[in-house]
Amino acid sequence: MKRTLSLVATLLFCILSIGCSKDSIENVSQAEGETAEQEGNAEDSLLEEWEKEWTEDPLEGYDVLFPAGWGREGHYNFMGRFLEAEKTVDVSQVRMVNAQDFDGDGYEELFVFIGEEAEPEYQTYQGALWYVAAQDYCVIEDTKDKEWELIDGTLSFGDRAYAYMNEFFVTDSLSYVWGVENGWVSEPSFSRKGVITETDDKGFIMTEGAYDGFASTDMENQGMLMGHTYKPYYFYFDTEEKAIREYGAAKVWEEELEFVMGEHFNEVSINMDSIIDVLYRDNGILTINTVTPDMDGFSYDNINFDTKTGEFLDAYGTGIGTASDSNYGGTYCRCLCPEIATYPSDENVDFIRQDGNEKLAPLGLYVDWAEAEKYHIFNYKELYLTENVYRTVFFQALKPVEELTFYNLEFEDVDSEGVVTFKKTAVKTVDVLETEVPLVVGIQMFEAIPNTGFSVKGEDGEIHCFAIGESGRDGSIYVEEIP
């Protein structure tokens, strides 16, 4: 429910009812924006009146969390007017008030959790989170009827801040995150992707819980992934763009491992035959994904090495510092949030190999040779573009991908800058590629020049076209964007 507070004669409140959910919390409408612009002076006057008139603590005597920003004293005006206007709120159920300038526009906003203790054993709460701005407020619908183990999380980066709460599950947690964009509450793309486990003024770590530690090959559970793993992914605040970004990973040439790891390479050299791939992120973390077959299936593990400190990560606090102690279990992906990931450049890091997936990630797609992904391909769909299949290509959606179209390519021309143009003939189209079931595509490939391509529709409606090629260095896939 959204309510609008306005200054009318005696500073009473005029109340409107509008829904506020994940789909509708992004921005106020254009009409409301125009009205707000016209009444800008009135808003300033209103804020001044709040400062003058509400000087008593409306939460006096109640045990309330104040995680950041103003602290207890700073909430008087907003909380006082909010509680006066919203008669459904029981002041004794106000559990948390996070008050600060979340979007850096010079005006403070509040996130207020209102509810009660749910499970004393786990110290959890049930209730709802409210957003309160200078003239407007709403309840965030998606916070109702859930059990929360943390209600006062804050990410703070200079003049940008975010509030987050952790939904409680017996074996895991999930962080819901909210910020303020264009004057209204919004939920960023990295919300609900994992649980925020570490924060500082430069970024945070989000840990993903997944069942990917073991794949069974027995008849009863064939292809089933199991074994709960918890893998940290790394995010930072881009001070120029004023936005959260993720450290996405580029692949590393395996023969460069000894150069990168120095004397520590001896600890991983015995595992070379079990390596799936090697990944590097611009924060210096090198990850080696491995798979080990046994009688019952395949075990998935990882080795994590910090190239900046020259030490293995201590995954579970053993303090030993060996390669085996850096294993979080399961298989690391290149990123957790493709929409905001950034990737190392081979211009700056000479031991990485860029295969084109860096451009595909923001579109929600990952591509590789199917034989390179053989240990992961269990439940999948097949599509054959030709009767004579020479290679099979693995397409994995990181988010639902619309209008995935495949083409036959015929070389037409190459310009002075080396840009090749092709004649594209559409063969087949997949309306939507879902995340749960990858696609294995059979293609022809018998020349150095690509003869198979595909296109993907971006969120902005633009169509992006790519050609499928093969690296002359090691035969790995190379995906190149084409006009």
Side-chain angles (χ1 to χ4, degrees):
M1 177 190 306
K2 174 181 172 183
R3 300 286 176 100
T4 301
L5 313 182
S6 58
L7 183 62
V8 180
T10 59
L11 285 174
L12 296 177
F13 298 96
C14 214
I15 302 175
L16 304 176
S17 295
I18 300 175
C20 183
S21 65
K22 187 182 191 314
D23 295 327
S24 64
I25 64 175
E26 294 181 357
N27 296 320
V28 290
S29 67
Q30 182 177 357
E32 289 176 313
E34 293 173 355
T35 301
E37 184 177 354
Q38 295 169 359
E39 298 178 353
N41 294 334
E43 283 189 33
D44 292 338
S45 175
L46 175 62
L47 290 173
E48 290 175 6
E49 289 296 332
W50 282 6
E51 290 292 337
K52 291 178 182 177
E53 294 206 1
W54 204 275
T55 57
E56 297 179 358
D57 184 355
L59 300 176
E60 181 68 35
Y62 296 102
D63 187 14
V64 180
L65 296 170
F66 295 89
W70 291 348
R72 189 172 191 95
E73 292 74 21
H75 73 274
Y76 291 3
N77 298 311
F78 279 128
M79 281 303 301
R81 296 299 178 185
F82 167 60
L83 292 172
E84 184 177 279
E86 186 51 61
K87 301 301 184 182
T88 65
V89 172
D90 181 349
V91 65
S92 68
Q93 291 192 333
V94 175
R95 302 297 178 191
M96 183 277 300
V97 178
N98 191 342
Q100 55 186 300
D101 182 3
F102 285 88
D103 57 355
D105 67 351
Y107 294 99
E108 287 77 8
E109 302 88 15
L110 273 67
F111 286 96
V112 182
F113 184 83
I114 299 169
E116 56 189 3
E117 193 172 37
E119 291 289 342
E121 180 182 356
Y122 297 109
Q123 295 183 318
T124 58
Y125 299 90
Q126 280 187 313
L129 187 70
W130 292 70
Y131 170 72
V132 184
Q135 284 187 298
D136 306 295
Y137 65 91
C138 75
V139 61
I140 300 173
E141 295 289 341
D142 282 0
T143 64
K144 293 180 177 180
D145 304 320
K146 291 181 172 63
E147 196 167 339
W148 304 96
E149 67 174 352
L150 181 142
I151 57 174
D152 59 338
T154 298
L155 302 171
S156 185
F157 311 107
D159 60 356
R160 290 291 187 278
Y162 302 83
Y164 70 91
M165 303 198 307
N166 292 346
E167 186 179 5
F168 171 78
F169 298 97
V170 174
T171 60
D172 207 348
S173 299
L174 189 65
S175 292
Y176 289 57
V177 186
W178 298 274
V180 177
E181 295 290 339
N182 300 321
W184 196 244
V185 59
S186 66
E187 187 173 359
S189 61
F190 57 89
S191 178
R192 312 191 203 189
K193 297 293 186 179
V195 58
I196 296 171
T197 49
E198 292 184 31
T199 67
D200 59 27
D201 60 358
K202 294 181 175 60
F204 60 93
I205 292 176
M206 181 172 282
T207 298
E208 178 202 34
Y211 288 90
D212 64 347
F214 181 79
S216 175
T217 55
D218 65 43
M219 293 301 294
E220 182 178 353
N221 299 309
Q222 189 169 10
M224 182 179 294
L225 285 170
M226 56 190 74
H228 204 166
T229 67
Y230 303 89
K231 296 180 290 295
Y233 287 81
Y234 309 93
F235 295 76
Y236 68 97
F237 183 73
D238 188 316
T239 55
E240 293 185 3
E241 296 185 6
K242 304 293 185 182
I244 300 292
R245 294 287 181 255
E246 180 184 358
Y247 286 108
K251 286 196 174 183
V252 174
W253 298 106
E254 290 181 20
E255 58 265 35
E256 299 285 354
L257 274 176
E258 185 170 8
F259 165 74
V260 177
M261 302 184 71
E263 61 183 12
H264 295 286
F265 174 71
N266 294 332
E267 288 194 54
V268 304
S269 60
I270 59 173
N271 297 310
M272 294 300 286
D273 291 340
S274 65
I275 291 178
I276 299 174
D277 57 17
V278 183
L279 305 174
Y280 175 80
R281 307 174 197 274
D282 265 337
N283 62 350
I285 303 300
L286 181 82
T287 298
I288 303 172
N289 286 317
T290 66
V291 58
T292 306
D294 59 32
M295 293 180 60
D296 300 317
F298 301 97
S299 294
Y300 298 98
D301 297 289
N302 48 75
I303 298 169
N304 294 278
F305 182 75
D306 190 334
T307 61
K308 294 183 177 181
T309 64
E311 298 177 349
F312 290 104
L313 300 190
D314 190 358
Y316 294 105
T318 64
I320 300 175
T322 64
S324 60
D325 293 296
S326 70
N327 174 29
Y328 290 95
T331 302
Y332 263 98
C333 298
R334 291 190 170 198
C335 64
L336 196 59
C337 302
E339 304 93 327
I340 61 173
T342 60
Y343 296 88
S345 168
D346 53 9
E347 296 178 359
N348 301 321
V349 184
D350 55 11
F351 53 79
I352 66 171
R353 58 180 176 95
Q354 293 183 308
D355 58 10
N357 274 294
E358 296 81 11
K359 291 186 176 180
L360 283 176
L363 300 171
L365 196 62
Y366 172 78
V367 175
D368 203 348
W369 298 129
E371 53 264 36
E373 299 288 334
K374 61 185 177 181
Y375 296 116
H376 297 292
I377 302 176
F378 299 110
N379 181 26
Y380 61 93
K381 293 182 179 179
E382 292 180 307
L383 176 64
Y384 293 93
L385 305 183
T386 175
E387 292 182 0
N388 301 315
V389 174
Y390 295 97
R391 298 300 296 266
T392 51
V393 185
F394 174 81
F395 287 80
Q396 173 71 62
L398 306 174
K399 59 183 180 180
V401 172
E402 296 184 356
E403 296 184 25
L404 175 60
T405 301
F406 297 93
Y407 302 89
N408 287 332
L409 302 180
E410 294 181 37
F411 173 79
E412 284 190 333
D413 194 14
V414 57
D415 65 17
S416 59
E417 296 182 355
V419 177
V420 179
T421 55
F422 296 89
K423 176 184 177 182
K424 300 187 286 289
T425 304
V427 180
K428 293 183 180 179
T429 296
V430 177
D431 291 334
V432 180
L433 180 62
E434 300 290 352
T435 58
E436 294 81 6
V437 183
L439 183 66
V440 174
V441 181
I443 67 172
Q444 282 188 338
M445 193 164 187
F446 46 83
E447 297 177 350
I449 297 177
N451 47 49
T452 300
F454 62 93
S455 67
V456 182
K457 182 180 179 181
E459 288 186 350
D460 58 359
E462 183 180 351
I463 302 297
H464 301 261
C465 297
F466 300 85
I468 300 173
E470 184 175 27
S471 168
R473 177 170 176 173
D474 66 350
S476 59
I477 201 167
Y478 185 79
V479 180
E480 182 176 9
E481 191 163 10
I482 58 175

